[in-house]
Amino acid sequence: MAPWCPACRSFQSTWQSLAEWSKDLDINVGLVDVTENPGLSGRFLVTSLPTVLHIKDGEFRTYTGPRKESDLLSFVDDKKWKDIEPVSSWTHPNSFQMGAVGFFFKVAMFIRSFYNMMTSEYGIPEWGCYIIFAIFTIIVGLLLGLIFVLCCDWLFPPKYVPAYTIPITKKVQGEEERDDESDVIDDTAQEQGDSQKEDTSVRRRQKPNQEAAGEETNSS
């Protein structure tokens, strides 16, 4: 419930009457102010006020029936709560994710109270409060990023990879001269081979010419 909620104020007398039957029904009847406990409203995903919850053996059920005293007594005494499915494990108030939701609700309420204090007590204008929140958000983001990077480096340290160097070989002057001489020899051998080919072709041409000259002589 919340003190500013009209439906909660009208339901308060019925809830007090149910609490008077707590000893006879062997139950406990409680009341939670969401303005003083914003974390619980986040844990239970309270979307409307008032919200009636039935809790037994660690199972949570949301009551959505009529809100008369007789209906509430029948719901408990006749064990009609067994017909209602309990909340799932994902939305269970004791789960980790719902605890995180409750934490964010607390942070939101803290920021709201801090904002009211700056505007009412210190007279800071709204645009000044927005600038302060923006700077604070940037600083917190940088710190969280730094912590995240440090944790990653600590959990997954980078491996040292030695630099690969290409060996450079230097030739001695004598080896360079021998290489040059071998090139010259190869060129000379190639020229000799070409000249031998030319001589062979000339000889082949001369041989038919000589045979032709011999035939002319015999005929004469």
Side-chain angles (χ1 to χ4, degrees):
M1 53 81 66
W4 48 264
C5 174
C8 297
R9 289 196 294 266
S10 62
F11 182 66
Q12 187 172 2
S13 59
T14 303
W15 194 249
Q16 289 177 353
S17 300
L18 177 64
E20 294 176 358
W21 289 89
S22 58
K23 292 182 179 180
D24 297 334
L25 298 174
D26 193 17
I27 60 174
N28 295 320
V29 179
L31 186 67
V32 177
D33 186 356
V34 295
T35 59
E36 296 180 358
N37 300 277
L40 291 179
S41 63
R43 278 181 175 270
F44 288 91
L45 287 179
V46 176
T47 57
S48 62
L49 295 176
T51 297
V52 180
L53 294 170
H54 178 271
I55 305 171
K56 184 176 179 60
D57 298 332
E59 295 181 345
F60 297 82
R61 295 175 173 85
T62 303
Y63 175 77
T64 57
R67 294 178 180 176
K68 294 181 180 180
E69 181 181 355
S70 58
D71 295 323
L72 294 172
L73 291 173
S74 176
F75 179 77
V76 176
D77 194 17
D78 297 338
K79 297 182 178 181
K80 293 181 179 180
W81 50 269
K82 292 184 178 180
D83 299 332
I84 300 176
E85 290 291 333
V87 296
S88 61
S89 58
W90 286 99
T91 57
H92 197 281
N94 294 334
S95 62
F96 173 78
Q97 56 270 16
M98 299 311 298
V101 173
F103 172 76
F104 285 118
F105 268 70
K106 290 181 180 180
V107 173
M109 293 301 296
F110 173 77
I111 293 174
R112 182 178 180 181
S113 62
F114 185 69
Y115 171 80
N116 294 331
M117 181 183 67
M118 288 191 298
T119 54
S120 60
E121 295 184 8
Y122 296 99
I124 300 175
E126 293 184 357
W127 60 269
C129 295
Y130 293 150
I131 293 175
I132 293 173
F133 284 133
I135 295 173
F136 178 76
T137 303
I138 293 172
I139 293 174
V140 171
L142 292 174
L143 291 176
L144 291 177
L146 178 62
I147 294 173
F148 179 75
V149 171
L150 292 176
C151 292
C152 290
D153 290 340
W154 179 65
L155 294 175
F156 308 101
K159 296 181 179 179
Y160 174 74
V161 179
Y164 178 73
T165 57
I166 301 175
I168 300 175
T169 57
K170 295 182 179 180
K171 293 184 178 180
V172 185
Q173 185 175 1
E175 294 179 355
E176 295 179 354
E177 292 178 354
R178 285 196 294 270
D179 292 340
D180 295 338
E181 291 176 356
S182 62
D183 294 339
V184 173
I185 293 171
D186 293 337
D187 294 338
T188 306
Q190 186 176 1
E191 291 177 357
Q192 291 177 356
D194 294 337
S195 61
Q196 290 177 359
K197 290 180 182 179
E198 292 178 357
D199 294 340
T200 304
S201 60
V202 171
R203 290 175 183 173
R204 289 178 180 176
R205 287 196 299 270
Q206 289 177 355
K207 186 175 181 180
N209 292 334
Q210 291 176 359
E211 291 176 355
E215 291 177 356
E216 291 179 356
T217 306
N218 295 329
S219 60
S220 60

